[in-house]
Amino acid sequence: HNGVFLKVNKPILQMLKLVQPYVTYGYPSLKTVRDLLYKRGYGKVNKQRIPISDNSVITKSLGEKQALFGMEDLVHEIYTVGPNFKQAN
């Protein structure tokens, strides 16, 4: 019952081939990413897992450094695998 967003590269594809019988994977749609983040989105702030209940949580942790100021910025960054994907993920 966990989900992970990964940047696709050769080592990741090799790893997915090894665990293929045990997991489901594929490319998510924009709607799927948005629904998952709104329904089950959590952020790590000060080493604590905090639910993303409003945009202030995102702005405090990612706003100044990565220019992510709200939920839609976070959705866009994860869906497009933008330059701040690692920090947004």
Side-chain angles (χ1 to χ4, degrees):
H1 297 130
N2 292 323
V4 178
F5 294 106
L6 299 169
K7 191 182 282 192
V8 177
N9 55 31
K10 191 171 182 173
I12 295 293
L13 287 175
Q14 295 291 14
M15 190 184 335
L16 286 173
K17 286 180 184 176
L18 291 174
V19 297
Q20 188 173 9
Y22 310 106
V23 299
T24 300
Y25 63 92
Y27 295 98
S29 67
L30 180 61
K31 181 182 183 316
T32 303
V33 173
R34 184 176 288 125
D35 290 347
L36 283 171
L37 289 178
Y38 274 101
K39 186 175 181 182
R40 297 181 160 270
Y42 282 87
K44 206 169 207 177
V45 179
N46 297 329
K47 298 182 181 180
Q48 293 181 334
R49 190 172 181 249
I50 297 174
I52 301 173
S53 55
D54 58 3
N55 289 336
S56 66
V57 174
I58 299 167
T59 303
K60 285 180 189 173
S61 60
L62 298 172
E64 294 140 13
K65 295 177 186 173
Q66 281 77 31
L68 299 173
F69 296 105
M71 185 64 94
E72 287 302 316
D73 289 341
L74 191 62
V75 169
H76 180 267
E77 191 68 25
I78 290 174
Y79 181 70
T80 60
V81 190
N84 297 318
F85 174 78
K86 187 174 183 179
Q87 291 82 11
N89 196 12

